[in-house]
Amino acid sequence: NIIMGNDSTAYYCPGENVSLVGYGQNIVSWSWYLKGDVPPTVGTSSLPADKTLNLPSVVSDTTWYFRGFTADAIPYFADQEFKIRKRPDYTFTLDKTSVGACQNEVTTITATKSIAAAPDATYTWTGLAGTPNVLTNIFTLNTTTAGSGTINVEAQATGYCNTNINIPYTISNL
């Protein structure tokens, strides 16, 4: 009797590596195959290292199968299914779509969570110096120097893919 590991789902964000580890008892060889491909009729390996399938830079949902085979003259087989699914993007909003300020004017940008189920969301602000307040998600811009450019806000939260919002800014010396 073949006993295969439980079917499972692996989650990724685009570009991440995913490793799948197949498991089976009473099998002597195995193969990996992609859903939609012709399933193998014999095992292609008996090396323990080949029970791990490393998928680099995953960018789309797929389903892989780990098929284990017995040593019988006509081998019996069983499959273990691995679904690979993209994590949802963490969505958030900013209270501004662009920033225009005079030199030394106090100017802030506020990030608002769109997903209440992500209490650990954090924001990284780049592109213009300033002071983030991690408790209120408010970023106070440093407006001491005139100039223009883009502020990038990246949001991170457990169980979600990071997302970015870019907004243009102009600090004038009027």
Side-chain angles (χ1 to χ4, degrees), residues 130-143:
T131 307
N133 182 320
V134 295
L135 298 177
T136 61
N137 300 324
I138 295 175
F139 183 74
T140 303
L141 284 66
N142 178 345
T143 58

